[in-house]
Amino acid sequence: MKEAALILYECVAAGEKYQHSERLALCQYRIFLLHKTMSKFDNLAAAVQLEPYIEKLDEEIQLDAVKDLANVYNTIHHWDKVYELAEELERKVDFQLELQSRRRKNKKRIAFYPIFTYKAYANLLKASVCEVRKEYEKALEFAKHYIMNF
């Protein structure tokens, strides 16, 4: 059913392309998720297509989208982009934590993981990039942040 879903999302995205709506962004994210199972280069093309729509997604879905983008760039060893997305993920988590402290406790969350998981994962991504760059002291600092978030 993935091929049928992909066709459906692509049709909706084509119909919405001039709207710059959250629905278009969500379609682009779902297209990206459906492409993730394909080759690394298909994943890269889907990631590039998704990037302009990230900010249009719901704030909590943005956490998953940025994490998924970072994973795609990580698989193709595009370290600068991984680091940049890890920092963006960390900023978005800090914003969500600030929002969470202000809103009602009974509001249903839509992010896949608990908020702290995204912050820890951002630190883990940064540590892995620093390790590849042979910046071991910096990698240890990020790894410590990762451990402290758990």
Side-chain angles (χ1 to χ4, degrees):
M1 300 294 279
K2 287 183 178 183
E3 287 97 17
L6 185 59
I7 291 168
L8 178 66
Y9 289 130
E10 287 173 343
C11 287
V12 172
E16 291 278 323
K17 71 179 177 182
Y18 298 112
Q19 303 301 317
H20 301 290
S21 66
E22 186 176 342
R23 182 173 31 200
L24 173 60
L26 194 54
C27 280
Q28 291 294 345
Y29 181 50
R30 289 183 177 155
I31 290 168
F32 168 77
L33 291 175
L34 289 168
H35 275 284
K36 269 182 35 174
T37 59
M38 299 179 183
S39 76
K40 288 194 283 189
F41 297 108
D42 288 338
N43 290 346
L44 178 60
V48 169
Q49 187 174 352
L50 172 64
E51 280 190 66
Y53 298 99
I54 293 281
E55 295 300 320
K56 300 276 188 213
L57 291 168
D58 180 274
E59 288 87 5
E60 286 193 36
I61 295 174
Q62 287 180 23
L63 298 174
D64 290 316
V66 172
K67 174 192 66 69
D68 292 338
L69 276 176
N71 287 339
V72 167
Y73 284 110
N74 197 23
T75 60
I76 60 170
H77 305 240
H78 196 303
W79 305 122
D80 291 337
K81 192 68 174 178
V82 172
Y83 196 87
E84 175 187 321
L85 288 167
E87 287 186 325
E88 183 178 342
L89 182 58
E90 196 168 26
R91 280 192 301 276
K92 289 182 181 302
V93 167
D94 291 340
F95 178 74
Q96 282 299 309
L97 289 172
E98 180 67 28
L99 267 180
Q100 201 173 38
S101 68
R102 293 182 188 174
R103 70 176 165 208
R104 296 184 303 210
K105 300 292 182 201
N106 59 356
K107 184 177 186 265
K108 184 170 170 48
R109 294 195 51 253
I110 55 177
F112 192 74
Y113 299 105
I115 296 286
F116 72 89
T117 307
Y118 296 98
K119 182 131 181 160
Y121 192 67
N123 283 308
L124 183 62
L125 285 170
K126 288 196 254 184
S128 65
V129 169
C130 289
E131 179 188 9
V132 167
R133 293 176 177 167
K134 298 186 182 347
E135 299 171 348
Y136 299 117
E137 293 296 323
K138 202 172 176 183
L140 278 172
E141 286 301 312
F142 288 124
K144 285 179 189 174
H145 289 296
Y146 169 76
I147 292 168
M148 298 190 65
N149 282 319
F150 276 104

